[in-house]
């Protein structure tokens, strides 16, 4: 019971922070980037950042490939990565997305803020759980903002919070089949990776409609999570 209460309090605090950031930044972001074209990729595709931006900083010279993804119960996630049930705030399930991050030819000092990444479906999004990020990526040594050496790569497990209250019951029971995207960049081109389904000619029309609607959601989230900025210089990882 005490654990449940802590979860509710923590969720309330997070919502207040998000709402405050939303009011401050929504108007400017929405007016500038509301019509970004969308490029859709599949698991296994290499997505080049190029000049496109996710939140604030340039990631030019980096690329991301989603290696695999799966939906896990929270306790199953802990078991997978050797963790204990010791966290104050814990999701009900975790979307475990494994990416291969590569520095192709990024300028010196250019890095990636892992906190900026999120996944979204129609009318729902999920952010990274930084405590579980530490658990599943001990090589990061607690860092969220990182920079790789040129021509090096690193496999990273991104854990996204999934809360039962955010989904309809029938969707919650079949989350692996529910269309979700990893948002790689937002503007000038929005680049997304389809996690749970592949694009076909039959689904192309629906995908266009979905991305148009989801684009509005991503702008809301972009404003809400403006707190996810670089905390000083990114940590350099020698791979």
């Amino acid at each position: 019971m005490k654990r449940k209460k802590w979860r509710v309090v923590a969720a309330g605090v997070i919502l207040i922070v998000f709402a405050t950031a939303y009011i401050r930044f929504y108007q400017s972001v929405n007016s500038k980037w509301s019509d970004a074209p969308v490029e859709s990729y599949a698991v296994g595709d290499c997505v080049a950042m190029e000049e496109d931006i996710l939140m604030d900083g340039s990631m030019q010279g980096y690329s991301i490939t989603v290696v695999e993804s799966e939906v896990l119960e929270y306790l199953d996630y802990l078991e997978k990565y050797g963790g204990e049930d010791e966290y104050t705030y814990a999701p009900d399930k975790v979307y475990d997305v494994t990416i291969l991050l590569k520095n192709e030819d990024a300028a010196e000092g250019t890095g990636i803020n892992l906190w900026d990444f999120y996944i979204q479906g129609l009318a729902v999004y999920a952010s990274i759980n930084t405590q579980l990020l530490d658990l599943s990526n001990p090589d990061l040594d607690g860092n969220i903002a990182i920079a790789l050496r040129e021509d090096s790569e690193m496999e990273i497990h991104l854990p996204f919070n999934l809360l039962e209250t955010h989904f309809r019951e029938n969707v919650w029971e079949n989350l692996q089949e529910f269309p979700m995207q990893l948002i790689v960049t937002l503007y000038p081109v929005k680049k997304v990776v389809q996690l749970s389904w592949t694009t076909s000619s039959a689904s192309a029309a629906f995908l266009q409609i979905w991305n148009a609607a989801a684009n509005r959601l991503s702008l809301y989230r972009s404003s809400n999570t403006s707190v996810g900025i670089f905390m000083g210089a990114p940590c350099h990882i020698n791979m």
Side-chain angles (χ1 to χ4, degrees), residues 95 120-122 124 175-181 194-197 206 210:
Y95 218 126
Q120 72 172 29
L122 190 59
V124 65
L175 276 179
Q176 191 69 52
E177 284 73 46
F178 180 67
M180 295 286 281
Q181 307 172 325
Q194 307 297 334
L195 298 178
S196 53
W197 64 324
F206 174 73
W210 180 42

Side-chain angles (χ1 to χ4, degrees), residues 56-171:
D56 300 310
S58 170
M59 300 178 291
Q60 188 168 3
Y62 281 87
S63 67
I64 281 182
T65 302
V66 174
V67 178
E68 61 181 355
S69 66
E70 63 176 335
V71 177
L72 295 171
E73 296 287 343
Y74 168 64
L75 293 180
D76 292 337
Y77 186 89
L78 294 181
E79 182 179 358
K80 178 178 180 178
Y81 292 105
E84 300 290 336
D85 187 12
E86 59 186 2
Y87 303 111
T88 301
Y89 173 70
D92 300 307
K93 293 183 180 181
V94 180
Y95 218 126
D96 184 18
V97 180
T98 300
I99 65 168
L100 183 67
L101 178 66
K102 184 172 183 179
N103 180 343
E104 308 277 358
D105 56 1
E108 180 70 24
T110 301
I112 300 288
N113 192 336
L114 300 175
W115 198 3
D116 286 345
F117 291 110
Y118 65 101
I119 60 175
Q120 72 172 29
L122 190 59
V124 65
Y125 77 88
S127 57
I128 279 183
N129 185 305
T130 54
Q131 291 179 317
L132 297 183
L133 181 69
D134 292 343
L135 170 66
S136 55
N137 301 276
D139 288 344
L140 292 179
D141 197 26
N143 292 288
I144 298 175
I146 64 173
L148 302 183
R149 298 180 64 178
E150 186 174 349
D151 199 28
S152 66
E153 60 187 30
M154 184 179 192
E155 188 171 274
I156 302 173
H157 306 286
L158 302 179
F160 295 95
N161 296 307
L162 297 174
L163 302 178
E164 186 172 2
T165 54
H166 292 177
F167 297 87
R168 297 192 307 272
E169 183 177 354
N170 63 320
V171 173

Side-chain angles (χ1 to χ4, degrees), residues 55-56 113-116 221 224-231:
M55 291 298 164
D56 300 310
N113 192 336
L114 300 175
W115 198 3
D116 286 345
R221 192 271 178 187
N224 282 358
T225 55
S226 57
V227 295
I229 59 176
F230 278 91
M231 304 298 288

Side-chain angles (χ1 to χ4, degrees), residues 29 33 49 51-59 64 112-118 182-191 218-219 221-223 225 228:
V29 173
W33 306 112
M49 302 296 198
E51 297 181 355
D52 303 305
I53 295 173
L54 180 55
M55 291 298 164
D56 300 310
S58 170
M59 300 178 291
I64 281 182
I112 300 288
N113 192 336
L114 300 175
W115 198 3
D116 286 345
F117 291 110
Y118 65 101
L182 173 69
I183 309 305
V184 179
T185 67
L186 278 176
Y187 52 85
V189 177
K190 181 180 179 182
K191 297 176 179 177
S218 67
L219 290 171
R221 192 271 178 187
S222 174
S223 302
T225 55

